[in-house]
Amino acid sequence: MFKRLKPLTVLLSYLLLGNFTYTFADNTEFHFPLSYQWGRGLSWPAANVNLGGYFNASYQQPEFIQNKTALDELGFFFTWSPHQRIRFFSEIDLNDWLSTTGIDKIEHVVRAERLYVDLLATESTTLRLGKFLTPVGRWNVTHAAPLIWTTTRPLVTERRLFTSHASGFMLSQKVDINDHNLDISFYADNSEELDVLDNQLGFENAIGSRVTFDITEQLQLGASFLDYKNRSITHKTRNNLFGVDLLWKKDGYEVEMEAIYRTAQDNQGDEQGLYLQSVIPIIEQIFVIGRYEYVNGIHRYIPTDTHIGVGGIAWRPFTPLVIKAEYLFGEQNQYVAPSGFFTSISMFF
Amino acid sequence: MIALFLPRLIQVITLSAAAVTLSYAAADEILVITQPNSALKDFSTKKLENIFLRKSLLNDAGVRWIPLNLGTEHPLRQAFSLSLFKKRPEALETYWNEQYFQGIVPPHVVASEEAMLRFVTSTAGAIGYILPCHLDERVQVIYKLPTVEPVEQYCKDRTP
């Protein structure tokens, strides 16, 4: 048995000692050792491997619902580029594993949030195969808690409106238009056949596209289209979803907006909504956040005409770490997003 | 008398102006370098920005870009970042946070310009930057990045 383990031990020792070098033409060696950086993960440059992840823990005190303290998310990233044209990426998450309402079994909470391989066809064309985040708007594709400003998620980006990930392929093209980046993506989903380690609310199938354009260094516009059918009870017939979004950033200030319109041919009917969020730096990595949301139509089979306001504060003492606190309030929001106090701490590791 | 000295005066002024201009041009740019004989074309500031932000992962020849940086405290790194991104390296940390979530990590960091020269010399796809005064025959200059502030004073800081 030990003989069998020996090659593995040697490999692990080699990994842990970080003896990876590039050899120069003059036969001297340049060391890029195995290294860890907080918020950037464990990096093994010579093999193009990176391991990392993030966590989010929250305390939620919504009105008329039990308070909860929970480890909402614990996610692990693995990136490997075995060839210059191939890049593998996975994110395996444990969602809602530990909370004051109970400890769930691992097999119930583990999910493959993302599991794909990128094939770099050319300098500007990429084919993605596998499971990836559905590219509708900005929030869904950057939804990791350490990246976003609030503990609560806007209704128009919710998983129950459209599934947060798709399984299939995505073709992406980058175009440089007078030194402005234009990104165009087309994707097709067949989650019913291809999805792994998930999920009751996935697509049955879908097709979609997304375009983003950098108007200036500070301003990015995006547009999304999604035609989908869900496996779940809600949105059983085909739905069409159209979205536009905007992000402006400068000197720590941010304005972000997403608007969607969803239509279906059954009693789900139509739904439209938006959120508009602003971020203002105050002092030393402390930011004030304000968000307005509006949703009108049939949301999760509930007729809504909901206005929501969120006022919060976020403190980023270090780049990978953020601590947030906010109060959510609104009109006709008790069923879809109850008012209350929400706070969380999240960190990349 | 005036006719005698005027041509000489004009010559002196012209030569002085040329010397000042050359000195300014040499000092106020950072050289972007690759391996010798790299068949790269149509290089632009935007392309360079996309490489160092790791939005562009392959070069024209289909070889993986390996962008290199100096440490964030290095004055040449500061000048490079300000000239290319109009931001200090620290201001890009939020961007790298977002990229980390997408499985993209920032460029490798080397300790000195000499280390950058040596790595670029020996590695296909590697791309780095040095001061004009540190250029030698081991590398190819593929782009001259104009700087927003003088960098000539850092020529003495070369660490072997």
Side-chain angles (χ1 to χ4, degrees):
Chain A
M1 182 180 172
F2 289 109
K3 282 183 181 175
R4 278 187 204 167
L5 283 176
K6 199 173 176 185
L8 185 64
T9 311
V10 170
L11 179 65
L12 281 174
S13 306
Y14 195 58
L15 274 168
L16 292 170
L17 290 170
N19 280 322
F20 304 104
T21 58
Y22 290 85
T23 304
F24 290 129
D26 60 1
N27 288 328
T28 57
E29 289 180 335
F30 187 91
H31 291 258
F32 262 143
L34 189 74
S35 62
Y36 175 77
Q37 186 186 346
W38 183 27
R40 299 286 178 262
L42 182 69
S43 189
W44 178 18
N48 291 301
V49 165
N50 190 272
L51 291 167
Y54 73 102
F55 78 85
N56 182 59
S58 69
Y59 170 70
Q60 302 180 28
Q61 194 179 37
E63 288 176 3
F64 313 118
I65 300 177
Q66 188 181 359
N67 299 349
K68 189 169 88 168
T69 303
L71 178 64
D72 305 288
E73 291 169 297
L74 179 60
F76 299 93
F77 308 147
F78 173 69
T79 311
W80 179 38
S81 186
H83 182 271
Q84 55 198 6
R85 289 183 182 271
I86 299 172
R87 201 172 70 88
F88 174 82
F89 179 79
S90 72
E91 181 192 349
I92 306 299
D93 285 0
L94 302 178
N95 284 352
D96 297 320
W97 178 29
L98 308 171
S99 80
T100 47
T101 57
I103 301 173
D104 210 339
K105 290 181 180 174
I106 289 284
E107 58 264 35
H108 292 168
V109 297
V110 67
R111 309 165 44 134
E113 184 78 1
R114 290 176 286 170
L115 190 66
Y116 59 73
V117 60
D118 277 344
L119 307 173
L120 307 178
T122 70
E123 182 192 8
S124 55
T125 308
T126 303
L127 177 65
R128 178 166 293 180
L129 302 171
K131 184 174 183 179
F132 46 87
L133 296 171
T134 312
V136 171
R138 282 189 50 83
W139 195 289
N140 193 54
V141 290
T142 55
H143 70 255
L147 295 179
I148 57 179
W149 291 103
T150 57
T151 305
T152 54
R153 183 173 174 137
L155 282 176
V156 294
T157 72
E158 242 193 11
R159 291 177 177 88
R160 295 193 187 201
L161 178 62
F162 63 91
T163 303
S164 61
H165 40 260
S167 296
F169 77 87
M170 177 161 68
L171 187 63
S172 300
Q173 178 71 41
K174 289 182 191 299
V175 184
D176 182 350
I177 301 177
N178 295 329
D179 286 346
H180 299 271
N181 286 333
L182 172 71
D183 289 336
I184 306 166
S185 300
F186 296 96
Y187 56 99
D189 165 276
N190 188 8
S191 287
E192 192 168 48
E193 302 292 333
L194 301 173
D195 200 358
V196 288
L197 274 180
D198 224 346
N199 85 40
Q200 297 175 342
L201 289 169
F203 294 127
E204 190 171 304
N205 57 63
I207 56 167
S209 64
R210 174 158 173 79
V211 178
T212 60
F213 185 57
D214 297 342
I215 304 277
T216 66
E217 294 288 329
Q218 293 82 29
L219 178 63
Q220 185 186 69
L221 296 183
S224 313
F225 167 73
L226 178 62
D227 174 282
Y228 66 97
K229 186 178 178 185
N230 271 347
R231 275 184 292 178
S232 62
I233 298 165
T234 55
H235 305 176
K236 196 67 180 171
T237 59
R238 289 209 84 77
N239 287 248
N240 285 316
L241 187 148
F242 305 88
V244 290
D245 54 275
L246 168 155
L247 174 69
W248 176 85
K249 277 185 178 184
K250 191 173 184 186
D251 301 332
Y253 292 85
E254 274 188 38
V255 175
E256 186 172 354
M257 185 279 294
E258 289 187 35
I260 60 99
Y261 171 67
R262 181 191 59 77
T263 179
Q265 297 303 314
D266 64 357
N267 58 357
Q268 272 291 289
D270 298 345
E271 179 177 2
Q272 58 260 315
L274 61 81
Y275 77 85
L276 179 66
Q277 178 174 281
S278 63
V279 178
I280 298 167
I282 319 174
I283 45 158
E284 293 299 315
Q285 302 305 314
I286 295 176
F287 301 83
V288 168
I289 296 98
R291 187 169 75 224
Y292 168 74
E293 297 181 45
Y294 176 63
V295 176
N296 174 268
I298 312 292
H299 187 78
R300 304 186 211 172
Y301 276 109
I302 302 169
T304 55
D305 188 25
T306 301
H307 296 265
I308 291 171
V310 177
I313 193 163
W315 178 38
R316 291 184 182 271
F318 304 97
T319 305
L321 176 69
V322 58
I323 298 162
K324 309 166 200 167
E326 73 217 41
Y327 187 75
L328 184 150
F329 55 97
E331 275 179 27
Q332 298 186 37
N333 62 317
Q334 59 270 40
Y335 297 116
V336 289
S339 301
F341 174 72
F342 304 85
T343 184
S344 62
I345 178 168
S346 50
M347 188 185 85
F348 281 124
F349 53 80
Chain B
M1 189 75 174
I2 291 172
L4 189 67
F5 283 104
L6 193 58
R8 178 70 179 153
L9 186 64
I10 290 170
Q11 190 182 16
V12 167
I13 290 170
T14 308
L15 285 173
S16 303
V20 167
T21 307
L22 281 173
S23 157
Y24 183 83
D28 292 349
E29 61 191 19
I30 295 170
L31 306 182
V32 178
I33 54 170
T34 62
Q35 258 189 337
N37 307 316
S38 302
L40 299 168
K41 54 190 179 186
D42 301 332
F43 226 81
S44 66
T45 305
K46 190 66 186 177
K47 195 166 187 172
L48 191 63
E49 189 183 306
N50 283 341
I51 293 166
F52 276 86
L53 289 176
R54 307 214 54 210
K55 291 179 177 176
S56 175
L57 298 175
L58 285 182
N59 69 19
D60 300 330
V63 177
R64 184 191 348 240
W65 283 121
I66 306 175
L68 300 172
N69 258 333
L70 294 162
T72 51
E73 301 298 319
H74 197 291
L76 181 55
R77 166 75 181 278
Q78 292 278 339
F80 182 74
S81 186
L82 278 171
S83 305
L84 186 60
F85 306 118
K86 314 288 184 288
K87 291 174 183 171
R88 296 202 175 276
E90 304 78 31
L92 288 167
E93 287 299 315
T94 310
Y95 170 81
W96 290 116
N97 257 2
E98 290 177 12
Q99 295 310 302
Y100 180 56
F101 184 59
Q102 308 301 336
I104 304 277
V105 290
H108 297 311
V109 172
V110 292
S112 65
E113 283 180 85
E114 177 58 24
M116 190 168 280
L117 275 164
R118 298 180 73 192
F119 191 88
V120 166
T121 305
S122 61
T123 313
I127 181 168
Y129 49 87
I130 55 169
L131 290 166
C133 53
H134 295 157
L135 177 66
D136 62 34
E137 69 286 352
R138 288 175 290 173
V139 292
Q140 175 183 344
V141 175
I142 56 163
Y143 194 67
K144 294 178 179 178
L145 178 70
T147 59
V148 293
E149 56 189 39
V151 289
E152 192 179 26
Q153 71 267 28
Y154 307 130
C155 282
K156 294 171 187 171
D157 291 339
R158 188 176 191 182
T159 309

